[in-house]
Amino acid sequence: MTRHPVVLIAEELSPAGVEALGTDVDVRRVDGSDRAALLPALADADAVLVRGATLMDREAIAAGPRLKVIARAGAGLDNVDIPAATEAGVLVADAPASDVTSTAELTVGLLLAVARNISQADAALKNGSWQRARWSGVELSGKVLGVVGLGRTGSLVARLMAAFGMDVVAHDPYVTAAHASATGVRLLPLDELLARCDFLTVHLPRTPETTGLIGFDSFRRMKPSVRVVNAARGSVVDENELYAALKEGRVAGAALDVYAGEPCTDSPLFTLDNVVATPHLGASTGEAQERAGIDAANSVLLALAGEHVPDAVNVQCGPVPEAMRPWLPLTERLGRVLTRAAGGVPARLEVRLRGEIAGLPAGALELAALKGVLEQTATGAVSRVNAPLLAGRCGLTSRLTASQDGGAQRSAATLRGVFPDGRIVTVTGTLTGVRLQPKLVEVLGHELELPLSGDLTFLRYPDRPGAVGLIGGEFAAEGVDIAAMQISRDPSGTTALAGFCVDAPVPSTALDRAAISVGADLAWRVPATG
Ligand SMILES: NC(=O)c1ccc[n+]([C@@H]2O[C@H](COP(=O)([O-])OP(=O)(O)OC[C@H]3O[C@@H](n4cnc5c(N)ncnc54)[C@H](O)[C@@H]3O)[C@@H](O)[C@H]2O)c1
Ligand SMILES: O=C(O)CC[C@@H](O)C(=O)O
């Protein structure tokens, strides 16, 4: 029975997300926050689905030797050691678009709550106290809202708050003025924004640069009437400094959804009347969880199938257009043919694209070629994720070149390897027919046409009559059936290259005998997988 890939669900995942995984995977569950349960459960896992409470650090990644993908059902990957995953060849993806609307809407709620003391008044009333003057607030309309971080959430918050009549200004050194103006905001230096705003909301990732960004110095620059909202990451606003500023009347109010350490139940901030606090609810809506689950499940399925994962964060390539996707497995296989033909890894690899594909973004093809080249010799797992790292370690450099002239094909990909001993080895493939079948069309300068699938075997020998019969005889003696074959002479007509698609791997003893019988100087096999 074929083994289905094991997908470990380590946290609550929406039913739609579980359903999106389909029936061709073996779904298992574990409580990812329980380390003692998580580590052994990872031993068999091909994929793990997490939210924010499962720590996928170096130790956890090492506990999953089969792992191919870590997918986060949500935005942000603070709980995943991305460099460790990259080294291990494990793809990491999150679902960055899934919770933008929910988080932006919660931010609107927090802005309103901190302006109007909604939660404090609610709690007081339910406690029997009718205090209208005590909970009087301020309007949003006409006030300046400072948005720090004008990415997905920040931009949506800016648009939504403009509808309240707020004057929205933003600080984000990494966005263009065009993006800001399309969002309807003015970009300002941080100091100027801090000095002007009546309300401040941060929508930043946690990075060394953003940790504590809103701290003592920032509060010093702000008006004492300012109200601060954080629904991004706890550590972006320094909690101790915020507490001091609120206590001393240097900040009028704060609304927080996130905390430096979570779960957080006993912060000094919770003792203050002018603080509204929610327990990390930004993405906690049915809609966001459904989208996050489905997006993460789709990333898992794509990664397990070896396909391009648009939400991957640790694959070093840009977008992969639809027309480029069938070329990924083809280029990977070409890499395997090249390394096997040469008996080792080249020092330099050129990935040449010709014809119609030459104009398309092709970074992913370079990664696929590197993967194919390296996986024959590497000791651990090789994927498009760690291929550049492993190439660097073994001194292999690569480059992409493109030419509009496809030659005999509409499009073709050639791998050209230059080896440390000066040898140059080339292999070329193309996709043919309506079903885009991968074909080899050139090997070591010999033109041929051979399906680039299944087990392949090649021999290069001085051309003479009867050679194919001798080779076929050796294969037949081991019960190996030939599904397709091609013989190609070099331009001088003296050397022949025979390529065979075989139904089962040719035993090495049979290949050795065949090579001796025809006087081959090269004989090699390319296994169907890895
Ligand atoms: N509360 C929640 O439940 C919840 C839900 C979703 C996202 N988040 C968090 O909200 C934050 C924003 O999410 P997003 O999806 O909008 O991210 P994003 O990547 O779309 O936007 C982040 C923006 O911050 C900017 N930025 C980075 N460093 C900066 C700096 N030093 N100064 C100013 N700007 C800087 C980036 O240029 C980018 O535009 C993330 O930390 C995310 O994890 C929280
Ligand atoms: O609910 C969650 O899983 C956390 C939401 C998440 O996307 C975040 O980045 O804060």
Side-chain angles (χ1 to χ4, degrees):
M1 209 173 79
T2 34
R3 176 188 181 274
H4 283 321
V6 173
V7 178
L8 189 64
I9 300 181
E11 288 179 62
E12 190 63 38
L13 189 72
S14 67
V18 180
E19 199 185 319
L21 287 170
T23 50
D24 291 337
V25 296
D26 177 359
V27 173
R28 300 187 191 166
R29 288 177 191 270
V30 70
D31 173 1
S33 62
D34 178 353
R35 198 74 177 167
L38 174 70
L39 296 185
L42 283 165
D44 278 343
D46 295 272
V48 60
L49 272 156
V50 300
R51 280 176 66 180
T54 305
L55 185 62
M56 288 303 295
D57 57 4
R58 194 171 281 277
E59 183 192 31
I61 291 164
R66 306 182 63 99
L67 265 188
K68 290 167 198 66
V69 49
I70 300 168
R72 161 88 199 259
L77 287 158
D78 318 60
N79 51 326
V80 179
D81 185 337
I82 297 173
T86 303
E87 258 177 65
V90 179
L91 184 143
V92 178
D94 66 348
S98 59
D99 48 22
V100 173
T101 302
S102 291
T103 308
E105 288 182 2
L106 180 77
T107 305
V108 175
L110 293 175
L111 283 162
L112 286 164
V114 75
R116 302 301 302 272
N117 302 311
I118 295 172
S119 23
Q120 300 90 322
D122 169 79
L125 182 54
K126 287 177 182 165
N127 226 9
S129 144
W130 182 270
Q131 298 170 301
R132 296 180 64 207
R134 168 99 172 81
W135 300 120
S136 170
V138 293
E139 285 185 349
L140 298 177
S141 180
K143 302 287 174 8
V144 177
L145 172 65
V147 177
V148 183
L150 199 61
R152 287 171 290 252
T153 316
S155 299
L156 182 53
V157 168
R159 280 194 288 268
L160 294 172
M161 296 322 293
F164 280 77
M166 295 195 87
D167 175 12
V168 187
V169 294
H171 171 73
D172 189 328
Y174 306 107
V175 299
T176 59
H179 169 72
S181 95
T183 313
V185 306
R186 272 171 303 133
L187 285 174
L188 292 179
L190 184 59
D191 285 356
E192 204 179 316
L193 175 145
L194 294 173
R196 291 175 58 122
C197 63
D198 301 297
F199 288 81
L200 176 79
T201 181
V202 292
H203 298 284
L204 299 167
R206 174 173 34 215
T207 66
E209 191 193 12
T210 63
T211 301
L213 184 72
I214 306 301
F216 179 77
D217 279 344
S218 307
F219 295 128
R220 210 166 40 86
R221 290 184 161 79
M222 293 192 242
K223 303 175 191 171
S225 57
V226 73
R227 288 165 170 85
V228 176
V229 174
N230 184 6
R233 282 293 175 265
S235 44
V236 172
V237 177
D238 185 311
E239 288 172 11
N240 294 329
E241 295 299 342
L242 176 64
Y243 176 78
L246 285 160
K247 213 48 195 158
E248 292 160 19
R250 289 182 282 120
V251 164
L256 307 170
D257 183 48
V258 288
Y259 308 90
E262 293 185 11
C264 170
T265 48
D266 66 352
S267 167
L269 288 159
F270 298 166
T271 62
L272 302 180
D273 270 351
N274 47 354
V275 170
V276 175
T278 49
H280 203 146
L281 292 182
S284 296
T285 61
E287 294 87 341
Q289 286 312 310
E290 187 168 315
R291 276 193 294 270
I294 293 172
D295 291 357
N298 286 340
S299 289
V300 163
L301 296 181
L302 288 171
L304 291 177
E307 290 180 26
H308 173 63
V309 182
D311 286 337
V313 298
N314 63 344
V315 182
Q316 284 180 29
C317 70
V320 182
E322 200 57 46
M324 214 36 137
R325 298 197 181 160
W327 291 85
L328 290 171
L330 174 123
T331 321
E332 190 176 312
R333 286 226 85 197
L334 286 177
R336 284 189 217 145
V337 176
L338 181 119
T339 312
R340 291 272 168 163
V345 173
R348 296 203 306 274
L349 179 71
E350 183 186 343
V351 181
R352 286 184 182 166
L353 304 182
R354 292 188 283 112
E356 290 173 2
I357 54 162
L360 300 175
L365 289 199
E366 189 177 350
L367 297 182
L370 283 176
K371 172 177 188 284
V373 162
L374 291 164
E375 67 191 353
Q376 306 287 329
T377 53
T379 43
V382 184
S383 69
R384 296 202 286 271
V385 171
N386 62 356
L389 197 76
L390 298 176
R393 281 186 188 158
C394 66
L396 163 59
T397 58
S398 63
R399 67 180 183 131
L400 263 175
T401 58
S403 132
Q404 302 295 331
D405 175 12
Q409 288 82 34
R410 280 168 63 167
S411 290
T414 297
L415 301 196
R416 181 177 185 273
V418 180
F419 288 80
D421 58 8
R423 277 178 306 148
I424 293 177
V425 174
T426 60
V427 295
T428 304
T430 190
L431 295 171
T432 60
V434 281
R435 295 175 62 200
L436 300 176
Q437 298 291 343
K439 282 217 169 118
L440 262 179
V441 292
E442 179 270 332
V443 174
L444 300 170
H446 292 260
E447 288 183 7
L448 41 72
E449 209 171 293
L450 195 69
L452 185 50
S453 54
D455 283 284
L456 301 173
T457 300
F458 298 87
L459 293 101
R460 189 176 69 180
Y461 51 89
D463 192 28
R464 65 173 165 105
V468 172
L470 292 171
I471 298 168
E474 295 296 350
F475 291 6
E478 301 288 343
V480 174
D481 209 359
I482 297 171
M485 68 162 288
Q486 265 262 297
I487 302 175
S488 165
R489 288 196 189 120
D490 69 353
S492 72
T494 54
T495 305
L497 181 90
F500 301 88
C501 295
V502 283
D503 286 352
V506 175
S508 58
T509 46
L511 185 59
D512 289 347
R513 286 198 306 271
I516 291 167
S517 70
V518 296
D521 69 334
L522 268 181
W524 76 95
R525 297 173 298 170
V526 184
T529 53

